[in-house]
Amino acid sequence: MSVVKMLLTDSLLSSVPEPIKRINDTKLSGFHARVGKTQNDKKRKIALYLNYRFGGIKGKQRNYHLGYFGECDLKDVRKEVESLKGRVALGEDVYETKQLSLKQQFIEDTSPTVEELAQEFIERDIKVNRKDVDPVMRMFKKDILPFIGNYKLKEITRRDVLNKVLDPIKDRGSNTQANKTLSILKQMFDFGVERDLMQGNPVSTVKKKSVGGLEKSRTRALEFEEVIQVFERLPKLGISQQVIYALKCITLTGCRPIEVTGAQWQEFDFDKMIWTIPAERVKQNKDGERTHKVPITQNMVILLDELRAAFGYLNSKYVFPSTTTNKSGPGEQPIDRHSLSRSISRKLEQLGVPKFVPHDLRRTVATRLGDTDIRTDPIVVEKILNHQLQGMQKVYNLQEYMEKRTIALESWSRRLKRVVSIGT
């Protein structure tokens, strides 16, 4: 390797003879140029370096890359060399400083976005630990990712989340949804911290009371006269038969909307008069195996017969088949459980009763079973609702109370005979 010592200038570096591989500057010690081979364009690539030793005679030998001739001004490079040599003299290992800076820049450049975190969170947490992922997916698609999805995790702030996600939800009057979104965001950012994707959770200290406000437990239970009025008016308001039948089913059984709308014919045993709701539709932990057995009353038989007569032509496995064809053919999917609440919400004024949601019909069943003409034991009511008993009862009382549940629901069903016949 041919090494020469000369003052590094633009004219010199513009035409370096072929044998020369390295030129050490005569003015600034350690400053040198490394000359590459001649390329197809007959030019030689020249890299500029500062060589120094850090830590004394036995210290580390460093080669600090300054850039390439032709891509940077040589006068500016000389000024940088003088600055670097001064910093080294003061005890700074400028090579190490640069490496740390490059590493930090790489981390910043490759920092994942909120959307990337959300995808990992959904795949590794939500889909693993939740039975019903659709509400969370809608939350991300509608209220979160369109507004902060492109933000880098290193950049996202509490203010960003409040201004762009939570406040707009609250401003449209969806306070409960704002609180649910805050809860999911807290879980997602905690997940990001655990996975070493970010340093801290930007909304860890945000309280519900400053977002959607403190929520009160719903206490709405319809009076019996209100129940009759609702089902007298529903068929006259253009609401689909499936929705009306599903609401009736909730009212007859006290089941949850998701348990009703997803019902399949194979779940009904008319010999034993039992409807067995499989574990995947029963509210419990994701891997829970508890099913829910519901007595089939005479009015339920009437309701189911009417459903067969109305929708048997679809040959659907679902009791409440969807007749829309947006994503699949008629009868291939059940009605969306959210269609129940949407239907009630749109027609609430015409129904002429105070605001209620489908789940309130379930609470109505529980409340009315305690009326003086039925007087159902509270434990039997809990079993009808498929609530787990609490305390020592949960451990030692393994009774299903099926006979008493049947008697209670038959008594309630007799009171609701008018409801079953309305609109059929």
Side-chain angles (χ1 to χ4, degrees):
M1 178 178 179
S2 178
V3 179
V4 297
K5 193 169 185 178
M6 303 176 68
L7 181 66
L8 293 175
T9 63
D10 289 329
S11 58
L12 172 64
L13 297 179
S14 295
S15 55
V16 180
E18 185 63 38
I20 297 177
K21 305 296 183 183
R22 173 168 172 158
I23 305 172
N24 293 328
D25 189 67
T26 55
K27 187 174 182 180
L28 294 171
S29 62
F31 180 35
H32 64 278
R34 298 181 185 181
V35 187
K37 294 181 179 179
T38 302
Q39 304 297 313
N40 293 334
D41 58 1
K42 297 183 180 181
K43 293 183 180 180
R44 303 177 69 185
K45 195 165 189 177
I46 301 173
L48 303 174
Y49 286 89
L50 170 62
N51 178 264
Y52 68 94
R53 188 182 296 276
F54 184 78
I57 297 177
K58 296 183 179 180
K60 298 177 180 178
Q61 190 76 22
R62 300 296 202 190
N63 277 302
Y64 186 102
H65 183 226
L66 299 160
Y68 293 95
F69 175 69
E71 297 177 3
C72 51
D73 191 296
L74 198 56
K75 291 181 180 179
D76 293 336
V77 174
R78 284 189 169 280
K79 291 179 181 178
E80 183 181 2
V81 170
E82 291 175 348
S83 174
L84 291 170
K85 289 173 67 68
R87 288 160 58 187
V88 171
L90 293 174
E92 179 185 350
D93 187 350
V94 292
Y95 175 84
E96 185 66 21
T97 300
K98 182 177 182 179
Q99 293 304 112
L100 290 173
S101 177
L102 290 173
K103 182 179 180 180
Q104 183 60 37
Q105 187 62 47
F106 175 78
I107 292 174
E108 292 185 1
D109 291 343
T110 58
S111 174
T113 62
V114 170
E115 182 168 7
E116 290 169 326
L117 169 60
Q119 293 301 327
E120 187 169 340
F121 173 62
I122 290 169
E123 291 298 323
R124 296 189 175 275
D125 189 287
I126 296 299
K127 290 185 177 179
V128 172
N129 298 315
R130 291 193 180 221
K131 290 174 63 176
D132 187 5
V133 302
D134 290 343
V136 179
M137 300 294 284
R138 283 194 295 271
M139 201 180 297
F140 277 105
K141 184 177 181 180
K142 179 182 178 182
D143 291 322
I144 298 175
L145 296 183
F147 306 103
I148 60 171
N150 292 331
Y151 276 65
K152 298 278 190 179
L153 294 181
K154 66 181 181 64
E155 298 172 343
I156 194 74
T157 66
R158 182 186 299 109
R159 188 70 177 170
D160 292 329
V161 177
L162 288 170
N163 279 356
K164 297 183 180 297
V165 177
L166 300 175
D167 287 346
I169 299 175
K170 181 178 180 180
D171 291 344
R172 68 174 188 244
S174 303
N175 290 13
T176 299
Q177 187 63 27
N179 284 341
K180 289 180 179 179
T181 305
L182 171 62
S183 178
I184 284 295
L185 286 170
K186 283 187 175 183
Q187 294 173 47
M188 181 187 72
F189 287 129
D190 279 342
F191 175 86
V193 173
E194 291 172 1
R195 304 285 291 187
D196 201 26
L197 295 173
M198 57 195 308
Q199 295 302 309
N201 185 337
V203 293
S204 60
T205 60
V206 178
K207 302 293 191 297
K208 284 185 176 181
K209 65 180 181 180
S210 61
V211 177
L214 297 178
E215 298 175 30
K216 296 180 180 179
S217 298
R218 290 190 61 85
T219 58
R220 175 81 163 108
L222 280 69
E223 297 295 335
F224 185 72
E225 293 73 17
E226 291 180 317
V227 175
I228 298 301
Q229 180 171 321
V230 165
F231 285 103
E232 281 180 340
R233 297 188 179 186
L234 277 175
K236 304 171 185 176
L237 301 178
I239 294 175
S240 72
Q241 281 185 292
Q242 299 100 309
V243 168
I244 295 175
Y245 278 121
L247 293 171
K248 287 181 180 182
C249 187
I250 295 171
T251 308
L252 286 169
T253 63
C255 290
R256 295 179 174 88
I258 193 173
E259 296 171 339
V260 169
T261 54
Q264 299 184 27
W265 288 110
Q266 64 180 6
E267 298 167 3
F268 293 84
D269 185 337
F270 292 101
D271 292 328
K272 296 180 179 179
M273 295 297 280
I274 293 292
W275 170 24
T276 302
I277 302 175
E280 57 263 27
R281 286 208 319 282
V282 174
K283 185 177 180 180
Q284 58 190 318
N285 292 335
K286 181 179 175 64
D287 297 321
E289 299 179 353
R290 191 177 81 239
T291 60
H292 180 29
K293 295 184 180 298
V294 183
I296 301 175
T297 63
Q298 289 303 311
N299 279 338
M300 273 293 291
V301 172
I302 294 172
L303 184 145
L304 293 169
D305 283 345
E306 291 177 355
L307 280 162
R308 281 190 187 277
F311 302 104
Y313 70 96
L314 293 173
N315 294 317
S316 176
K317 65 180 181 179
Y318 296 106
V319 178
F320 304 95
S322 172
T323 55
T324 60
T325 57
N326 290 337
K327 297 181 180 179
S328 58
E332 292 181 8
Q333 295 294 326
I335 60 173
D336 179 3
R337 66 186 175 96
H338 298 288
S339 65
L340 308 187
S341 55
R342 287 195 295 266
S343 296
I344 290 175
S345 177
R346 287 197 295 262
K347 304 297 182 179
L348 194 60
E349 185 175 346
Q350 292 97 314
L351 289 173
V353 298
K355 181 179 179 180
F356 75 98
V357 297
H359 196 86
D360 292 331
L361 294 174
R362 173 175 157 85
R363 187 179 296 105
T364 299
V365 175
T367 304
R368 301 281 72 86
L369 285 175
D371 286 346
T372 55
D373 58 339
I374 301 180
R375 294 183 181 276
T376 306
D377 186 293
I379 290 181
V380 177
V381 175
E382 290 294 282
K383 287 293 184 178
I384 288 173
L385 297 177
N386 198 27
H387 285 164
Q388 284 194 317
L389 301 180
Q390 300 301 307
M392 298 304 290
Q393 289 275 9
K394 176 180 178 180
V395 178
Y396 291 104
N397 188 350
L398 304 181
Q399 287 282 346
E400 290 298 319
Y401 297 95
M402 190 58 68
E403 184 178 351
K404 291 184 177 181
R405 287 158 63 181
T406 301
I407 293 172
L409 287 178
E410 282 288 5
S411 298
W412 170 239
S413 182
R414 282 193 293 273
R415 285 189 69 186
L416 288 172
K417 190 172 183 179
R418 281 181 61 197
V419 168
V420 178
S421 62
I422 290 170
T424 60

